[in-house]
């Protein structure tokens, strides 16, 4: 019986497999210096030659963004991590029914853990990362450890791997550290986007150019949609030292397309009862001079009245032949005076789309103070500094998503994205789902800007960290949305499952059995850590198998043992000991798609050996694994 790997996917090996499909001659085998095991490896010299139409003799200069630590950042994105997502039902809201997820922990770990769960399924990503102003913090990722060292250290809580560190402008790696923090996260995020998915990134002048360059590299420059400008400040900054009041922020957008603004179809009418339906008067004046487009410059005459309307300075929009056809089809509106301009009937029924362009000037009349007002309405205190307004995020959500789409925000912060998803669902009847990630960044009582938030957390009996505030905001926001006007088609889902990034549920022996001494064998008979619950094991199995983390879970007693059934027959899991052949046969009779047992959970070796045979006979389509 095969064992589940119980760590995030090794993306480097998956990428090599993709190269092998395209260029099999460029992939070979090499011995891993750390483990001594054979692994697939790329012959980069051969690959360079495959991608060139001339002989490649050495590295070539090319246009790209480089910085100290880039290769390490890329390796970090590809490195598997042996961690888990542990469910916390007591901190969740409507755990059994909700389709929303709140992940507490380092977003790099979270993104690696959900690679298979949300692969190609996220319609929209929005992030509001640290702006790298010199006063904020960046994630202190470990870029110096080797892959094997990282995998070992990822089995235990490592504050250096999860903490935030100051990044002052005096730091010689000021931009490099920020780019190294962003690059692996965006690389992993790209894998989660659907083919028609869109990513939005809020950023300021300090890193907008670098952000665009790494997005060009990761998502493709051809996927650039727009660099939206949001006038975030309503009043002039009187504290400016340069004389310029910086009143804006940017929202970079990459993907295939956004929806666009709704056309104002109420302006279409049919005053003359035209059988072709409602229409609007459209301009026919051109935009080219006579020397550039002489075929568009001619006198336009109404043959019915003989009135000559002449030719505009910039000519007409259509040439003579097209204009003659429009006249024949009775689409021209002729003024009664020669000084008037003929116009064209544009019919509503002939519109190619009900949408038109969405302005790159984003959120007119929506300011940062509106985000503060949103928070005050929920908390009656300023527990977050400069939160994004819900109204702004609703516009973004509306542009990129609909119906049952999934939205991801892995810098959740104040929780505005999740709040906006709930609010937009209530407005239009969609059933969008959110996945948000937030690090439990500690609040400091002595920090004047954090004191209000610190005191608030203690006042409600919660640990003083950002993640606790985010969860509390979502609880209050959900309640407020339900108390307002709700679309009848909305499923009214304002809950969320809380999952926390933690060390693996498995003992070290599970990952490195070759390093266990004989004297330690008795202590490692059970490869599962003693403090982990069956629910902890279930969710690590869901992550490992790439199963939806919000599917309904039913707990049953079968043959005296606790068995979890996920979404009916999607997965059956029994982590108890003393599993008998009768239990195995009963589970096989239910024909689940997947089934998992504890490796040492069988009543005898004979039962363990026969498990796969039983399922082959009764339920051959079931995938059988153990942990």
């Amino acid at each position: 019986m095969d064992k589940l790997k119980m760590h995030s996917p090794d993306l480097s090996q998956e990428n090599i497999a993709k190269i092998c499909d395209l260029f099999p001659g460029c992939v070979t085998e090499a011995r891993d210096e750390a483990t001594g095991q054979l692994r697939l490896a790329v012959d980069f010299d051969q690959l360079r030659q495959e991608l060139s139409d001339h002989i490649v003799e050495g590295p070539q200069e090319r246009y790209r963004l480089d910085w100290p630590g880039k290769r390490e950042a890329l390796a970090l994105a590809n490195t598997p991590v042996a961690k888990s997502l542990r469910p916390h039902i007591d901190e969740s809201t409507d755990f059994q029914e909700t389709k929303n997820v709140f992940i507490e922990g380092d977003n790099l770990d979270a993104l690696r853990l959900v690679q298979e769960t949300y692969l190609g399924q996220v319609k929209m990503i929005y992030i509001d990362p640290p702006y790298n102003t010199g006063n904020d913090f960046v994630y202190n990722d470990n870029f110096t450890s080797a892959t094997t060292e990282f995998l070992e250290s990822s089995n235990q809580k490592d504050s250096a791997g999860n903490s935030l560190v100051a990044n002052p402008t005096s730091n010689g790696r000021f931009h490099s550290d920020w780019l190294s923090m962003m690059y692996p996260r965006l690389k992993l995020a790209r894998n989660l986007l659907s083919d028609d998915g869109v990513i939005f990134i809020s950023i300021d002048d300090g890193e907008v150019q670098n952000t665009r360059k790494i997005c060009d590299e990761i998502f493709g420059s051809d996927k650039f949609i727009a660099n939206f400008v949001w006038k975030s400040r309503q009043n002039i900054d009187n504290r400016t030292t340069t004389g310029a009041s910086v009143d804006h922020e940017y929202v970079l957008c990459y993907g295939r397309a956004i929806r666009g603004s709704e056309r104002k179809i109420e302006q279409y009418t049919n005053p003359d009862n035209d059988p072709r339906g409602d229409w609007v008067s459209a301009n026919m004046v051109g935009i080219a001079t006579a020397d550039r487009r002489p075929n568009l410059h001619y006198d336009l005459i109404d043959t019915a009245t003989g009135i000559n309307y002449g030719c505009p300075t910039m000519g007409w929009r259509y040439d003579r032949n097209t204009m003659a056809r429009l006249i024949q089809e009775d689409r021209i509106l002729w003024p009664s005076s020669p000084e008037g301009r003929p116009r064209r009937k544009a019919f509503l029924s002939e519109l190619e789309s009900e949408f038109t362009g969405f302005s790159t000037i984003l959120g007119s009349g929506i300011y940062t103070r509106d985000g503060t007002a949103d928070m005050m309405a929920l908390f009656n205190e300023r527990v977050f500094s400069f939160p994004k307004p819900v109204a702004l995020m609703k516009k973004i959500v509306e542009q990129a998503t609909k119906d049952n789409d999934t939205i991801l925000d892995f810098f959740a912060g104040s929780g505005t994205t999740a709040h906006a998803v709930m609010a937009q669902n209530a407005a239009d009847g969609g059933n969008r789902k959110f996945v948000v990630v937030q690090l439990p960044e500690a609040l400091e009582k002595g920090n004047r800007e954090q004191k209000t938030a610190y005191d608030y957390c203690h006042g409600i009996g919660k640990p003083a960290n950002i993640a606790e505030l985010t969860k509390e905001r979502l609880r209050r926001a959900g309640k407020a949305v339900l108390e307002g006007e709700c679309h009848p088609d909305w499923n009214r889902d304002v809950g969320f499952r809380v999952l926390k990034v933690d060390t693996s549920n498995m003992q070290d022996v599970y990952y490195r059995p070759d390093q266990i001494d004989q004297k330690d064998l008795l202590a490692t008979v059970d490869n599962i850590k003693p403090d982990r619950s069956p629910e902890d094991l279930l969710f690590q199995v869901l992550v490992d198998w790439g199963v939806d983390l919000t599917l309904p879970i039913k707990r049953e007693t079968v043959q005296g043992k606790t068995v979890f059934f996920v979404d009916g027959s999607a997965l059956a899991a029994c982590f108890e000991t003393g599993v008998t052949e009768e239990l195995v046969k009963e589970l096989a009779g239910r024909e689940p798609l997947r089934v998992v047992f504890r490796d040492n959970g069988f009543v005898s070796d004979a039962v363990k050996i026969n498990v796969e045979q039983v399922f082959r006979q009764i339920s051959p389509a079931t995938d059988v694994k153990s942990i």
Side-chain angles (χ1 to χ4, degrees), residues 242-256:
T242 63
S245 176
V246 180
D247 300 337
H248 68 280
E249 297 178 22
Y250 301 102
V251 181
L252 275 171
C253 179
Y254 280 76
R256 287 187 178 177

Side-chain angles (χ1 to χ4, degrees), residues 290-581:
D291 58 324
R292 291 177 56 200
R293 296 292 301 275
N295 63 320
L296 300 180
H297 287 257
Y298 53 87
D299 285 354
L300 183 58
I301 301 172
D302 182 359
T303 56
T305 64
I307 297 177
N308 185 341
Y309 297 94
C311 179
T313 304
M314 302 300 286
W316 300 104
R317 183 165 296 183
Y318 311 106
D319 61 22
R320 292 176 184 270
N321 292 334
T322 302
M323 189 68 79
R325 177 177 58 79
L326 294 173
I327 294 172
Q328 183 181 6
E329 294 175 355
D330 193 23
R331 291 174 179 261
I332 305 301
L333 300 168
W334 303 102
S336 58
S337 168
E339 284 73 34
R341 282 275 186 259
R343 294 174 67 86
R344 175 181 64 90
K345 279 185 175 182
F347 290 95
L348 178 62
S349 61
E350 295 175 350
L351 288 177
E352 293 182 359
S353 171
E354 59 184 300
F355 301 104
T356 186
F358 182 71
S359 175
T360 55
I361 307 302
L362 183 64
S364 177
I366 302 173
Y367 306 103
T368 299
R369 73 172 194 175
D370 295 308
T372 301
D374 292 335
M375 299 303 297
M376 289 294 292
L378 295 174
F379 290 91
N380 201 31
E381 293 186 71
R382 299 185 65 167
V383 295
F384 280 104
S385 299
F386 309 112
K388 291 293 186 290
V390 173
L392 179 74
M393 285 307 307
K394 281 181 65 179
K395 288 183 177 295
I396 293 175
V397 169
E398 185 181 34
Q399 279 301 308
T401 66
K402 59 183 179 181
D403 301 334
N404 297 306
D405 288 338
T406 298
I407 294 99
L408 168 66
D409 181 351
F410 52 90
F411 285 96
S414 66
T416 298
T417 300
H419 187 167
V421 170
M422 294 186 285
Q424 188 59 38
N425 283 341
D428 64 14
N431 291 310
R432 302 169 184 85
K433 305 170 287 289
F434 64 76
V435 180
V436 295
V437 185
Q438 178 55 42
L439 185 78
E441 177 188 349
L443 296 165
E444 299 178 10
K445 185 177 183 179
N447 186 324
R448 186 175 61 182
E449 294 184 358
Q450 297 181 355
K451 187 178 186 305
T452 300
Y454 179 92
D455 291 342
Y456 185 86
C457 286
H458 276 274
I460 61 174
K462 299 289 185 181
N465 65 61
I466 298 294
E468 291 297 337
L469 284 176
T470 311
K471 286 180 285 188
E472 185 62 23
R473 192 260 176 93
L474 298 191
R475 297 183 190 105
R476 293 174 179 238
K479 182 179 179 181
V481 170
L482 289 178
E483 290 173 349
E485 186 175 345
C486 298
H487 195 285
D489 294 337
W490 178 36
N491 61 15
R492 303 172 73 87
D493 182 4
V494 296
F496 53 93
R497 285 186 174 181
V498 175
L499 308 176
K500 295 187 180 182
V501 177
D502 206 334
T503 57
S504 173
N505 296 312
M506 316 308 292
Q507 303 273 20
D508 289 348
V509 64
Y510 190 89
Y511 301 101
R512 297 185 294 276
D514 56 311
Q515 297 182 18
I516 300 298
D517 293 333
Q518 187 171 359
K519 66 179 185 300
D520 297 325
L521 286 177
L522 290 177
T524 57
V525 170
D526 193 351
N527 55 22
I528 297 172
K529 293 178 180 176
D531 64 334
R532 301 305 165 97
S533 70
E535 286 80 6
D536 292 335
L537 300 178
L538 176 63
F539 270 83
Q540 189 161 5
V541 168
L542 294 178
V543 168
D544 200 83
W545 240 320
V547 178
D548 187 344
L549 299 175
T550 63
L551 290 176
I553 300 168
K554 187 177 181 181
R555 185 175 183 149
E556 293 186 22
T557 300
V558 181
Q559 298 284 335
K561 303 296 181 183
T562 298
V563 180
F564 293 96
F565 292 95
V566 179
D567 196 28
S569 61
L571 168 68
C574 181
F575 304 115
E576 297 233 27
T577 56
V579 171
T580 63
E581 187 164 334

Side-chain angles (χ1 to χ4, degrees), residues 100-228:
N100 304 313
V101 176
F102 182 100
I103 300 177
E104 181 175 316
D106 189 318
N107 53 17
L108 183 61
D109 289 335
L111 287 168
R112 284 186 288 203
L113 286 169
V114 301
Q115 283 294 293
E116 295 186 15
T117 305
Y118 292 107
L119 179 66
Q121 295 187 34
V122 175
K123 182 62 186 301
M124 170 188 148
I125 297 174
Y126 171 83
I127 56 171
D128 185 9
Y131 279 8
N132 207 24
T133 61
N135 298 317
D136 51 14
F137 294 83
V138 297
Y139 283 76
N140 183 28
D141 299 320
N142 186 355
F143 297 115
T144 58
S145 62
T147 299
T148 52
E149 292 172 348
F150 181 84
L151 187 57
E152 290 178 8
S153 66
S154 64
N155 281 316
Q156 50 194 312
K157 204 75 173 180
D158 185 350
S159 60
N162 290 332
S163 64
L164 294 170
V165 294
N167 191 33
T169 53
S170 58
N171 177 12
R173 289 172 53 101
F174 177 66
H175 292 290
S176 297
D177 283 351
W178 190 86
L179 287 167
S180 291
M181 182 269 292
M182 290 295 295
Y183 191 76
R185 289 164 172 82
L186 290 175
K187 285 280 289 184
L188 291 166
R190 182 196 62 179
N191 299 335
L192 306 182
L193 276 178
S194 60
D195 290 340
D196 59 348
V198 182
I199 183 170
F200 296 88
I201 304 172
S202 282
I203 200 67
D204 69 355
D205 286 305
E207 294 290 355
V208 65
Q209 297 299 329
N210 285 333
T211 305
R212 184 162 177 180
K213 287 175 183 175
I214 59 174
C215 285
D216 283 347
E217 179 176 324
I218 293 171
F219 301 102
S221 58
D222 60 319
K223 296 299 190 296
F224 173 74
I225 293 177
N227 187 10
F228 293 99

Side-chain angles (χ1 to χ4, degrees), residues 19 53 160 172 230 273 346 481 572:
I19 292 174
D53 59 359
W230 172 45
N273 294 318
V481 170

Side-chain angles (χ1 to χ4, degrees), residues 229-248:
V229 179
W230 172 45
K231 188 180 185 303
S232 56
R233 184 191 296 275
Q234 184 175 17
N235 300 315
I236 296 297
D237 184 5
N238 294 318
R239 299 167 299 175
T240 176
T241 59
T242 63
S245 176
V246 180
D247 300 337
H248 68 280

